[in-house]
Amino acid sequence: SFGRNPVRLNPGICLFLPPFHSIQKVDLRECSINIPHLSGYTLDNVPITVTGSLFYRIIDGYKACFKVTDLERNIQNFGTSAMRAVLGTFSYDQIIGDRNGINSKLNQVIGSSLANWGVEGTRFEVQSFQPANREVERQLELQMEAERNRRKQLLDTQAQINVAEGNKQRVILESEGHLQAKANEADASYKTVFREAEARQQQALMEASALAAQVEEIAKSIPVDKANVKAEDRQRALLTLVELRRLDQLKAIAASKSNSTYFFGDKAALGQGGEAYNIDYAEHVKSGMGDRAVGGVVV
């Protein structure tokens, strides 16, 4: 009433006398104030120009009406100063990419001051952001190009390292594979030779056992008393078996297709006494026994 005793009107019917009362209305919804061409410096001393919007919301209408005059203009002035201070705590690259960090820092700076006016600063949306002049922009472009080249070189170097490491691992794996293959081949050869030797040994034992059985059977057929076989009988049986094997060899030689096969038997077979015979004597025997040749073999 006449500028005194300010009160907050509650919902319901209220008496309003124009000469006696004055009413101030505030919007409790979230609002925005445009801040064009805000100049400032970043943390790395880059002059910049920012255009954006400061969003706020009135949380206490009484304070917004009676704690400050011209609320919107003061919010704009305070927001401009606070936003310039906030931009000074971020580097050029951070301002481009870290909008959430800007909003958090803005709430810390203007939160307590605007709270006295019943106002809450919510966020600041950057609409445009650029260096203050062309020379700075050109230097920043060169800096970004150098940074891109540096990252490219790092990536290329890392790629070369990866390729070299891959080649190293490939050579190691190939050498290990060759080593394992050689070891397997050596092991297989060893097992093959060992088993072949075992087979030959077993074959020799079986042949010897068969030969002994044959000698024993022949020896039993020589004496009258079959139960009393002597060593002389076994010796005669062995000689008989050897002669039988020799006859088998003679048959094989006789069946041969070669016409220049010679067989040198013992001296008794050639009709000689004590001295050894030679090639000349063998030829003499061959010429004298030409009519007895059988299948091209001279005996």
Side-chain angles (χ1 to χ4, degrees):
S1 301
F2 295 114
R4 298 181 180 181
N5 300 323
V7 295
R8 177 185 299 172
L9 296 179
N10 296 319
I13 299 175
C14 299
L15 179 61
F16 172 65
L17 301 176
F20 185 71
H21 297 136
S22 61
I23 297 177
Q24 294 185 19
K25 298 179 181 180
V26 294
D27 192 349
L28 299 181
R29 295 174 298 179
E30 186 176 22
C31 303
S32 65
I33 298 177
N34 187 33
I35 302 178
H37 307 296
L38 175 62
S39 60
Y41 287 85
T42 62
L43 183 63
D44 46 359
N45 295 324
V46 177
I48 58 174
T49 300
V50 178
T51 298
S53 297
L54 177 62
F55 289 83
Y56 68 94
R57 181 174 61 251
I58 298 176
I59 57 177
D60 191 338
Y62 183 85
K63 292 182 178 180
C65 293
F66 302 109
K67 292 292 184 178
V68 62
T69 60
D70 199 350
L71 177 64
E72 184 174 345
R73 185 173 61 83
N74 284 283
I75 290 177
Q76 182 177 4
N77 294 336
F78 185 79
T80 300
S81 177
M83 196 60 215
R84 186 179 287 112
V86 169
L87 292 176
T89 61
F90 290 86
S91 65
Y92 186 84
D93 295 334
Q94 288 176 334
I95 294 175
I96 295 176
D98 191 6
R99 302 294 177 86
N100 293 330
I102 295 176
N103 293 330
S104 299
K105 188 68 174 179
L106 179 64
N107 289 332
Q108 295 177 3
V109 172
I110 68 176
S112 58
S113 299
L114 292 181
N116 295 330
W117 301 343
V119 178
E120 176 187 13
T122 57
R123 66 187 185 278
F124 183 83
E125 295 295 338
V126 177
Q127 298 173 353
S128 64
F129 174 79
Q130 60 184 5
N133 53 69
R134 178 57 189 168
E135 181 63 24
V136 174
E137 185 176 359
R138 189 179 68 84
Q139 294 296 330
L140 290 174
E141 289 176 355
L142 294 176
Q143 180 181 352
M144 287 187 293
E145 183 178 359
E147 180 66 19
R148 286 193 295 267
N149 293 333
R150 184 185 69 84
R151 293 178 181 177
K152 179 178 179 299
Q153 291 177 358
L154 289 177
L155 293 176
D156 292 341
T157 303
Q158 187 63 38
Q160 294 176 0
I161 293 174
N162 293 336
V163 171
E165 186 66 24
N167 293 332
K168 173 184 174 183
Q169 294 297 326
R170 179 180 59 82
V171 172
I172 291 174
L173 292 177
E174 288 180 353
S175 62
E176 290 179 352
H178 293 161
L179 178 62
Q180 187 63 36
K182 294 295 184 182
N184 293 338
E185 291 177 359
D187 189 33
S189 299
Y190 169 77
K191 291 181 179 180
T192 302
V193 172
F194 183 76
R195 291 177 180 176
E196 288 178 353
E198 286 184 342
R200 289 193 297 269
Q201 180 183 7
Q202 189 67 24
Q203 181 182 4
L205 291 175
M206 294 175 66
E207 290 178 353
S209 177
L211 181 61
Q214 293 177 4
V215 170
E216 188 66 22
E217 291 296 328
I218 296 174
K220 288 181 181 180
S221 64
I222 294 177
V224 177
D225 187 3
K226 305 298 182 181
N228 188 13
V229 180
K230 298 181 180 180
E232 293 80 2
D233 298 332
R234 292 187 176 90
Q235 182 67 26
R236 291 175 60 188
L238 180 60
L239 293 176
T240 301
L241 187 61
V242 171
E243 289 299 328
L244 292 175
R245 294 291 180 88
R246 183 179 297 177
L247 290 176
D248 293 337
Q249 293 177 357
L250 289 174
K251 290 180 181 180
I253 294 174
S256 174
K257 300 297 182 180
S258 175
N259 57 4
S260 60
T261 303
Y262 299 93
F263 179 79
F264 298 95
D266 55 4
K267 292 179 289 183
L270 294 172
Q272 296 298 315
E275 74 279 0
Y277 60 91
N278 52 27
I279 298 297
D280 293 334
Y281 181 75
E283 292 292 337
H284 175 70
V285 173
K286 176 182 177 183
S287 62
M289 301 177 66
D291 54 346
R292 297 170 56 189
V294 180
V297 178
V298 179
V299 180

